[in-house]
Amino acid sequence: MARTNMALEDELAVIRQMVEAALPLWPVPAGAEVSLLNIAENLTWLVEAGVFRAVLRVHRPGYHTRTGICQELDWSQALARDAGIDTPAVIAGVNGALVQEAQVPGFAPGQPGGRYMVMFEFAPGRQPGPDDDLVAPFRSLGAIAARTHIHARGWQSAQPLERLVWDEAAVFGEGATWGDWRAGPNVTPEIREVLEEAEQIVCQRLAAWGKGQARYGLIHGDMRLTNLLIDGARTVLIDFDDSGLGWYLYDFAAAVSFMEDHPQVPALRAAWVEGYRDIAPLSEEEEREIDTFVMLRRMALLAWIGSHIEAPEPQAMAPHFAAGTARLGRAWLARLARG
């Protein structure tokens, strides 16, 4: 999502103008119409013209370089080609490039009004909800995660990676990617005290865990429900925008984003582990450490809500998310204390 002083409705209106004007950059039929699909880190739009359907992603300015976006696309398409990961194909522009760029109306020359854009083939299916029976999809997701991790260990970009890093510095350090969780909505002094203890313990455990090749590498980074499409027995993985370097177990933590305290999470964790082990080894030690990464991710999301509060999803979660994060932290710390 762009970070400007415009009201959200006004910003969406000018981005829509840009999107409509930019459609000839791709082989899109004449008369195509666009409708907004999602507001998150980026804006995604459905493009329709008769039987033609595609999804256009408009990137948030400053989040990724053009090279970094190309690396994301290279890896996701290599996963589809070489590792059997079901993910939508990229639609090249009429000039052959996968990443296109357009200027937002109303920005003067020299102002930061350019937006990178990528168009994907439309994938059928529905996004599951947290109250669905997710055991079977999470078993599939565990297998998908294992295949991506195996592939990542052998995949190399033609250029040095310009992707995000999801480690303790990116979540808790100065200049954290999504900001400081302390600036999240409704972080009271009591909540801050609990979460500062949780941060300290997370960092200690991550330092001991290390970043060896078997534990840390290129990950999807955002395998949550909104990035899955279920079509019968088929699970389609979308949106590699947050892919980058991180711990492999972080991919489970991302999968339960915003629902970490849901009653079915223990069953989902067991299903994910089972699916993962169908494809690749996962030790008992790794299984026990999953909760550290769930806590890391949850605190990152608290920061994300605070730094993206202009969007509808963060606004909806803002009243209760900090308190829920503290409850999660207390329970995790208590389990560690019991050994």
Side-chain angles (χ1 to χ4, degrees), residues 170-187:
V171 176
F172 300 130
E174 187 175 345
T177 301
W178 288 338
D180 188 346
W181 60 263
R182 294 165 184 81
N186 300 308
V187 176

Side-chain angles (χ1 to χ4, degrees), residues 3-289:
R3 300 291 178 262
T4 73
N5 292 324
M6 293 185 191
L8 179 60
E9 289 185 6
D10 293 337
E11 185 173 359
L12 292 175
V14 296
I15 296 293
R16 177 187 287 273
Q17 292 177 42
M18 181 197 72
V19 166
E20 291 172 341
L23 290 182
L25 294 172
W26 292 272
V28 173
E33 297 184 351
V34 301
S35 54
L36 183 65
L37 281 176
N38 190 43
I39 303 172
E41 204 61 62
N42 307 305
L43 298 174
T44 51
W45 302 79
L46 178 63
V47 181
E48 298 180 285
V51 297
F52 177 88
R53 300 180 85 187
V55 173
L56 179 62
R57 183 175 69 192
V58 178
H59 281 261
R60 168 187 171 183
Y63 199 57
H64 291 301
T65 64
R66 178 188 287 271
T67 296
I69 297 169
C70 289
Q71 290 169 341
E72 169 213 337
L73 302 176
D74 287 346
W75 185 48
S76 67
Q77 299 309 293
L79 283 168
R81 183 180 63 248
D82 303 330
I85 303 300
D86 203 342
T87 191
V90 185
I91 300 175
V94 294
N95 65 357
L98 299 183
V99 181
Q100 301 292 323
E101 187 173 7
Q103 192 75 11
V104 178
F107 281 80
Q111 287 186 309
R115 297 290 187 276
Y116 293 129
M117 298 177 293
V118 179
M119 186 173 286
F120 298 90
E121 292 183 359
F122 181 83
R126 68 174 186 86
Q127 291 178 340
D131 294 324
D132 294 351
D133 182 354
L134 297 172
V135 170
F138 262 69
R139 189 176 295 112
S140 297
L141 189 59
I144 289 170
R147 290 201 296 271
T148 64
H149 300 162
I150 291 169
H151 186 274
R153 292 186 183 103
W155 183 81
Q156 286 190 329
S157 173
Q159 298 173 283
L161 276 181
E162 295 182 14
R163 297 299 304 165
L164 296 168
V165 176
W166 297 110
D167 63 6
E168 71 282 8
V171 176
F172 300 130
E174 187 175 345
T177 301
W178 288 338
D180 188 346
W181 60 263
R182 294 165 184 81
N186 300 308
V187 176
T188 64
E190 181 184 7
I191 288 172
R192 176 170 175 161
E193 181 179 0
V194 172
L195 294 184
E196 285 184 338
E197 182 181 358
E199 176 184 325
Q200 181 182 12
I201 300 302
V202 166
C203 289
Q204 288 174 359
R205 296 185 74 87
L206 292 178
W209 192 247
K211 295 181 178 178
Q213 186 179 11
R215 295 177 170 181
Y216 186 93
L218 186 59
I219 60 173
H220 180 279
D222 199 20
M223 291 188 184
R224 61 189 179 117
L225 300 185
T226 55
N227 290 330
L228 303 179
L229 294 173
I230 307 298
D231 186 21
R234 178 190 183 203
T235 300
V236 181
L237 180 62
I238 64 173
D239 193 3
F240 284 69
D241 184 58
D242 278 344
S243 61
L245 294 175
W247 287 280
Y248 294 126
L249 293 179
Y250 186 86
D251 269 338
F252 172 81
V256 294
S257 292
F258 303 115
M259 57 174 290
E260 295 89 349
D261 53 358
H262 195 285
Q264 71 169 321
V265 166
L268 302 185
R269 171 178 164 161
W272 188 92
V273 168
E274 181 182 346
Y276 198 103
R277 286 176 174 157
D278 285 343
I279 305 298
L282 188 78
S283 69
E284 296 295 328
E285 182 187 17
E286 287 171 306
E287 184 178 357
R288 288 193 299 270
E289 203 63 38

